[in-house]
Amino acid sequence: MTTSSGSQAKPARVLGIADAVTIGAGAMIGAGVFAVFAPAAASAGAWLPVALLVAAVVAYCNATSSARLAAVHPESGGTYVYGRERLGELWGYLAGWAFVVGKIASCAAMALTFAAYALPGWERPVAIGAVLALTALNYRGVRTSARITRFLLAAVLAVLAAAVVAAAASGRADAAELSLAGDWPGSFGLFGAAGMLFFAFAGYARIATLGGEVRDPATTIPRAITIALAGVLAVYLLVGGAVLMVLGRDRLATSSAPLADAMAAAGWPALVPVVAVGAALASLGALLSLVLGVSRTVQAMAADRHLPRYLAAIHPRFGVPHRAEVAVGIVVALLVAAVDLREAIGFSAFGVLVYYTIANASALRLGPEENRPPLLVPVVGLAGCVVLAFSLPLTSVISGAAVLAVGAAVWLVRARWASPAR
């Protein structure tokens, strides 16, 4: 893949398995684990554990398909590359478009969540400052970003572990809350909750989009995705179970800060500010990884002239797509100044599910000699993504579909305009 930087425009392969796992887990264990259980409980009610399981199954299928594809196509860009190579240029473009617009919205959500915990009342200026600071950090290279992400992830895991232990030791956790007994929430309730919970799993895409910057990608990427996803699933099960047992389904569904409320209900008020710090750090770590991944897809699309060619450049010293990173940072900062947090999350979830729909469809085109996954994996992943996407709130579905339609229209106009010159 060429860029405007000439012979020096090659991403630096500096990331090992530990770095890739850290980036993926850091993107997954973000603001979602501190907030997503509340809206999911409101949608699924007593079936919240089942919704979590559904989200985990779809995430596993997506991770497996992505890992097999990344091993065959070890380039930065993720499903943008896979869709282009396996399904055709339009599908690759739509995957990249869905990823970029969905994850830019997710970046805005992470920044706003960080600011809400870090300095309530000054959310927007603090969020904009965080976006600009992390953009500058990513500009220095992925190795620096991986080190910072590792520190943030360790701190957040320590906070979550303390919260789970405190809830279990409080004597106020009721295991009966984990029972599936209760009113059936309907298919839209169950799958809509799973779609929101899937939003909290989606960070493993960061690993695949770094395909051009990891050592031995055929081995590193599949292992890193599997390790990161399994670890995060275990964390979510422990945290979600602890919060559910302490607060109960009804109180959890109305909570704006489930972990903080759980610590107060469990008789550990001293841990409430600790949880707030953990939530702020988690959001910051997720934002760091998200900006990192989105900028790589922007660079890949720009190199193929689907976005302005100017954004394809690789920094000659740091080996990063510096112009794409700056552009993404500016757009996220503008969104932070304009969007609502819940709307950003719903829109992002829709875009990510479309992205993985194309990933699973691409995996179906792998041949036997390419270590393709068992047929059931991409089929379940594809069907699951479609069902979850269209079970999200109607406003998220409409806005997401409209933005995808605009992207498709731009591609078609561009293709028709360029065809006489071919």
Side-chain angles (χ1 to χ4, degrees):
M1 184 177 296
T2 60
T3 72
S4 60
S5 295
S7 61
Q8 296 178 322
K10 294 182 180 180
R13 293 189 181 274
V14 298
L15 299 179
I17 290 179
D19 291 328
V21 169
T22 297
I23 290 173
M28 282 186 275
I29 302 180
V33 71
F34 290 90
V36 76
F37 292 112
S43 180
W47 291 76
L48 175 62
V50 178
L52 181 60
L53 180 60
V54 170
V57 169
V58 174
Y60 171 78
C61 293
N62 296 342
T64 301
S65 293
S66 297
R68 301 295 176 88
L69 286 161
V72 178
H73 303 286
E75 305 174 41
S76 295
T79 302
Y80 165 68
V81 174
Y82 315 150
R84 181 192 65 199
E85 297 298 324
R86 296 288 163 171
L87 303 175
E89 189 175 354
L90 173 59
W91 292 105
Y93 169 83
L94 286 177
W97 181 262
F99 181 84
V100 169
V101 298
K103 286 305 181 180
I104 283 178
S106 186
C107 288
M110 295 300 102
L112 287 168
T113 303
F114 160 73
Y117 280 97
L119 195 60
W122 295 85
E123 286 88 348
R124 296 194 189 278
V126 171
I128 292 173
V131 170
L132 297 180
L134 293 184
T135 299
L137 179 64
N138 279 334
Y139 194 98
R140 300 286 296 183
V142 294
R143 184 178 293 277
T144 299
S145 300
R147 284 198 295 264
I148 298 298
T149 302
R150 184 182 293 113
F151 166 77
L152 294 175
L153 179 60
V156 172
L157 287 175
V159 170
L160 293 177
V164 170
V165 171
S170 67
R172 302 181 186 182
D174 184 4
E177 293 292 344
L178 298 178
S179 170
L180 294 181
D183 294 334
W184 166 245
S187 297
F188 278 100
L190 176 64
F191 293 125
M196 286 181 282
L197 289 165
F198 176 82
F199 168 79
F201 279 105
Y204 53 79
R206 303 297 73 69
I207 300 172
T209 57
L210 295 173
E213 294 166 85
V214 298
R215 298 188 297 269
D216 188 16
T219 300
T220 298
I221 291 175
R223 288 183 181 176
I225 288 177
T226 301
I227 293 170
L229 183 61
V232 170
L233 174 58
V235 170
Y236 284 0
L237 287 171
L238 289 172
V239 174
V243 172
L244 187 58
M245 288 190 293
V246 170
L247 293 180
R249 301 180 185 108
D250 293 338
R251 188 174 176 186
L252 174 58
T254 59
S255 174
S256 58
L259 271 172
D261 289 346
M263 292 302 95
W268 292 89
L271 285 179
V272 172
V274 176
V275 168
V277 171
L281 290 175
S283 302
L284 201 62
L287 179 60
L288 179 66
S289 294
L290 283 167
V291 172
L292 191 68
V294 173
S295 63
R296 271 59 184 173
T297 301
V298 169
Q299 186 272 335
M301 295 182 71
D304 288 340
R305 301 184 183 276
H306 291 307
L307 291 175
R309 182 74 170 176
Y310 176 82
L311 300 176
I314 301 294
H315 196 283
R317 177 182 175 188
F318 300 122
V320 299
H322 56 297
R323 293 175 183 171
E325 287 179 345
V326 171
V328 169
I330 292 173
V331 173
V332 173
L334 293 174
L335 280 178
V336 163
V339 302
D340 174 75
L341 177 59
R342 288 183 177 269
E343 292 174 349
I345 291 175
F347 179 81
S348 176
F350 185 87
V352 171
L353 287 163
V354 170
Y355 174 86
Y356 282 114
T357 298
I358 297 174
N360 284 292
S362 300
L364 287 170
R365 302 296 298 272
L366 289 171
E369 71 285 357
E370 296 173 303
N371 194 27
R372 67 183 178 192
L375 181 62
L376 187 63
V377 170
V379 169
V380 171
L382 192 156
C385 286
V386 172
V387 170
L388 297 190
F390 287 96
S391 298
L392 289 167
L394 185 60
T395 54
S396 298
V397 175
I398 293 175
S399 60
V403 171
L404 287 177
V406 169
V410 169
W411 186 90
L412 291 171
V413 169
R414 175 184 170 277
R416 178 165 296 186
W417 181 269
S419 59
R422 293 175 181 173

